[in-house]
Amino acid sequence: MTTSLPNIITAIQNTINANADEVAELDRAIGDGDHVVNLQRGLDALNNVSEELTTMNWSAAFMKIGMTLMSTMGGASGSLFGTLFVSMGKAAKGQELDLTAFSEIFSQGVESVKKRGKADLGEKTMLDTLIPVANSLQADAASNAPLAVTLDNAKAVAIVGMESTKDMIATKGRASFLGERAIGHIDAGARTSQLMICAIADVLDSH
Ligand code: ADP
Ligand code: MG
């Protein structure tokens, strides 16, 4: 139920705040350094509406989360994370949120991010975390894997995906201006996406 959203938002804020210096450093190395501040602003805005979110169904809540992120975050990541949730809101319309439905809804959200950013796997962006997670959720839903296994797998592929950006050249976003000099640095958006996914999985696992 959407009543879990305040806890999830708090858990996400905690992990982003705890890793803020590292993320700022990552975006300074190959971007302009503002990614973590953009995200913290968006998360503060979500925190302000978190009680309201609990009164909504999943479709409306995802939509509200997306619009809130879009209107407060700024940066490339604001429109991309916003797109992820608005698209999930559309896909969730009239659906019960079991694991199979969620994996489909999340995958549609990730597809919309790909379209919006004109990017795909291997371009050193948040998509290197999000795409493997979408694929892992779908595979586990298809095989009826237990929730705990599904969450562990999602966390594991998020970490592998995030780490995979280290050796990549960026072909999208600010880091693409650096060419080979981007190699050796993890992408900031891939890192924050992984941190958020791991935090969400930990909250769901403890229920
Ligand atoms: P900006 O790049 O405008 O300063 P942020 O610093 O908030 O915005 O976000 C940068 C992050 O956005 C990158 O680390 C990357 O993960 C993600 N990103 C940038 N461009 C794209 C794109 N075209 N597709 C997917 N993700 C992208
Ligand atoms: Mg930036």
Side-chain angles (χ1 to χ4, degrees):
M1 279 288 290
T2 52
T3 47
S4 58
L5 282 172
N7 278 342
I8 289 175
I9 291 166
T10 305
I12 289 176
Q13 286 188 296
N14 289 342
T15 193
I16 296 300
N17 292 342
N19 294 281
D21 290 347
E22 182 211 316
V23 175
E25 192 52 50
L26 293 176
D27 194 36
R28 260 198 300 278
I30 58 171
D32 57 357
D34 63 349
H35 178 61
V36 79
V37 179
N38 289 339
L39 183 53
Q40 285 172 316
R41 193 182 321 113
L43 292 171
D44 279 342
L46 286 188
N47 196 42
N48 289 338
V49 297
S50 69
E51 283 310 315
E52 191 185 341
L53 292 174
T54 64
T55 66
M56 299 176 168
N57 62 33
W58 280 107
S59 174
F62 287 146
M63 210 81 96
K64 172 98 184 168
I65 290 169
M67 304 295 273
T68 303
L69 293 178
M70 270 188 201
S71 62
T72 58
M73 269 188 73
S77 62
S79 93
L80 293 164
F81 284 140
T83 296
L84 174 70
F85 284 99
V86 167
S87 172
M88 285 175 67
K90 287 182 188 152
K93 212 157 240 161
Q95 301 241 37
E96 293 290 332
L97 220 67
D98 60 15
L99 264 179
T100 305
F102 181 77
S103 68
E104 188 52 44
I105 289 163
F106 184 74
S107 297
Q108 290 200 31
V110 173
E111 275 307 311
S112 298
V113 175
K114 286 165 71 172
K115 285 205 188 92
R116 176 85 204 210
K118 300 188 174 62
D120 210 329
L121 202 64
E123 299 200 76
K124 203 179 182 91
T125 72
M126 58 174 69
L127 285 166
D128 292 303
T129 299
L130 298 175
I131 293 172
V133 170
N135 292 342
S136 174
L137 290 174
Q138 288 212 310
D140 284 337
S143 65
N144 274 318
L147 177 63
V149 173
T150 302
L151 295 173
D152 274 352
N153 288 340
K155 288 199 282 187
V157 298
I159 290 168
V160 171
M162 173 274 290
E163 286 175 340
S164 76
T165 64
K166 187 166 182 177
D167 298 325
M168 291 176 188
I169 292 174
T171 38
K172 295 282 151 50
R174 291 180 196 279
S176 64
F177 306 136
L178 293 177
E180 303 255 321
R181 279 178 294 151
I183 293 178
H185 303 281
I186 288 168
D187 174 66
R191 176 67 167 140
T192 55
S193 297
Q194 172 264 314
L195 288 168
M196 292 192 278
I197 285 160
C198 288
I200 295 166
D202 286 338
V203 172
L204 297 180
D205 216 2
S206 66
H207 275 188

